[in-house]
Amino acid sequence: MGTGHFFWVIFYFASLCSASLANNAKINFREKEKKVLDQILGAGKYDARIRPSGINGTDGPAIVRINLFVRSIMTISDIKMEYSVQLTFREQWTDERLKFDDIQGRLKYLTLTEANRVWMPDLFFSNEKEGHFHNIIMPNVYIRIFPNGSVLYSIRISLTLACPMNLKLYPLDRQICSLRMASYGWTTNDLVFLWKEGDPVQVVKNLHLPRFTLEKFLTDYCNSKTNTGEYSCLKVDLLFKREFSYYLIQIYIPCCMLVIVSWVSFWLDQGAVPARVSLGVTTLLTMATQTSGINASLPPVSYTKAIDVWTGVCLTFVFGALLEFALVNYASRSDMHKENMKKKRRDLEQASIDAASDLLDTDSNATFAMLRQCEVHMQAPKRPNCCKTWLSKFPTRSKRIDVISRITFPLVFALFNLVYWSTYLFREEEDE
């Protein structure tokens, strides 16, 4: 057998041996992963009821670091004062009992899906109303155990949380909704929650809310003391700003239009009673319905809201326009009564003058003396008043009331708008 042929035979057997060793290494690597899990979590070797030790194996409290990823915020309810959020919740702590050999960096971490196999912090959401896990298609939860004993717990959950609101500036308001997390049974002597360093709270970029905008969020600590001890607590404050454009289109502009429509009656003839009454009653009922619809979507609070001031004043203007017609109608009937009385008085005076003219002396001297006496008693004419001169163009009181209302109502409503918007917008900037 030649030397070359012998070399190729040796190379072939070497290749087979290396492939076999590689396959064995892969198989052994997977088996090693199982052995590591059995080694650190086997019966009698690890007790999930006992908490991990403190930093550097001391007897201090176990440190658990928290971070959140807000996936979506579904609803923010004003009437229930709550909001719904879906988030990925993560906890990370160190349990030195779970250290293992990473086989020269091949085992980056071990993955578990059963949370009851390792010790877990007894965290709960203190302002939670409802909540549930996600199990489609598999439970959305995992636990990673790293070679140094670090444990990462991640789960996707949906929560409905209480959010007490102050609606004094509604709908020009901002609301702060909190997410509070605390330990239920372990005091700060045994367990301490800390925010993860760097970026503890993340929010999805395309977050969309129909009536609110998430302006910012703040992380803080909220440890609480009770009769049984002090408990560690973390909180996230989400600052929401209400989108005003919806309320401008749905409430403010329609109310303004109803108020302006109620002023049309000032331009109708005072004798058009059916038209003016139907216009006033219709606008008043429409405004009342609008107010009821607004209050139906809000909780019955004991204080006055900004929207209450607006709808109340608009309702007052519409009601005032209806009362104005009642006053005009009364003044019109009073004018007619006075006109009839004046006509009768003129007829009586004319009859008495005709009777007296037959008895009067037509002497020119007597006539001249009477004229002189009249000139003596005449007074100098007063300086004309602009308002009186302008109002004198309208002979009846009912017409004057309509003319004054045409000017007074829009001016007062414009003044109210100036005060309203400057007041509440200024208060909004102060709160900000």
Side-chain angles (χ1 to χ4, degrees), residues 14-126:
S15 299
L16 291 177
C17 291
S18 62
S20 177
L21 289 173
N23 291 331
N24 290 334
K26 289 182 180 179
I27 295 174
N28 292 338
F29 172 71
R30 298 304 177 192
E31 289 181 354
K32 185 66 176 178
E33 202 170 340
K34 176 181 178 299
K35 289 181 181 180
V36 169
L37 284 173
D38 293 338
Q39 179 182 354
I40 61 177
L41 298 176
K45 296 182 180 180
Y46 183 87
D47 193 343
R49 298 172 298 176
I50 302 174
R51 72 168 179 85
S53 58
I55 299 176
N56 298 326
T58 62
D59 196 32
I63 305 299
V64 179
R65 299 190 178 274
I66 307 293
N67 70 93
L68 307 172
F69 175 65
V70 180
R71 292 181 172 272
S72 64
I73 299 175
M74 281 75 76
T75 58
I76 301 176
S77 174
D78 296 315
I79 191 168
K80 294 183 179 180
M81 291 196 177
E82 64 184 22
Y83 71 105
S84 301
V85 61
Q86 182 187 128
L87 51 87
T88 298
F89 173 75
R90 305 186 187 98
E91 295 176 304
Q92 194 163 8
W93 66 94
T94 300
D95 192 340
E96 295 187 353
R97 298 172 294 175
L98 300 177
K99 287 183 177 180
F100 62 89
D101 183 13
D102 61 353
I103 315 177
Q104 299 179 351
R106 288 185 173 182
L107 275 178
K108 294 183 178 180
Y109 53 80
L110 304 173
T111 301
L112 296 176
T113 56
E114 301 173 0
N116 58 353
R117 298 194 62 183
V118 297
W119 176 87
M120 293 289 299
D122 61 343
L123 180 142
F124 76 105
F125 298 92
S126 58

Side-chain angles (χ1 to χ4, degrees), residues 292-408:
S292 300
I294 295 168
N295 292 329
S297 62
L298 293 173
V301 294
S302 59
Y303 48 82
T304 303
K305 304 179 289 293
I307 195 68
D308 294 334
V309 176
W310 175 264
T311 55
V313 172
C314 290
L315 189 62
T316 302
F317 271 92
V318 174
F319 184 66
L322 184 61
L323 290 183
E324 188 270 350
F325 171 66
L327 181 60
V328 167
N329 188 267
Y330 173 78
S332 177
R333 287 185 284 110
S334 179
D335 290 338
M336 291 177 62
H337 178 70
K338 286 184 178 181
E339 187 65 27
N340 293 332
M341 294 298 294
K342 286 182 179 180
K343 186 177 181 181
K344 292 180 180 179
R345 192 179 298 112
R346 284 197 300 267
D347 293 341
L348 292 175
E349 289 178 354
Q350 186 65 34
S352 61
I353 290 173
D354 292 341
S357 61
D358 297 337
L359 303 174
L360 286 176
D361 186 10
T362 56
D363 186 21
S364 60
N365 292 331
T367 304
F368 180 78
M370 291 177 63
L371 292 174
R372 292 289 297 174
Q373 188 176 2
C374 289
E375 289 178 1
V376 170
H377 291 284
M378 286 180 62
Q379 299 179 357
K382 295 182 179 180
R383 189 174 181 180
N385 191 322
C386 297
C387 294
K388 289 183 178 181
T389 304
W390 178 68
L391 288 175
S392 63
K393 298 178 181 179
F394 309 99
T396 60
R397 286 193 303 168
S398 57
K399 191 64 177 178
R400 291 175 185 175
I401 293 173
D402 271 342
V403 171
I404 293 173
S405 298
R406 294 173 189 173
I407 300 173
T408 305

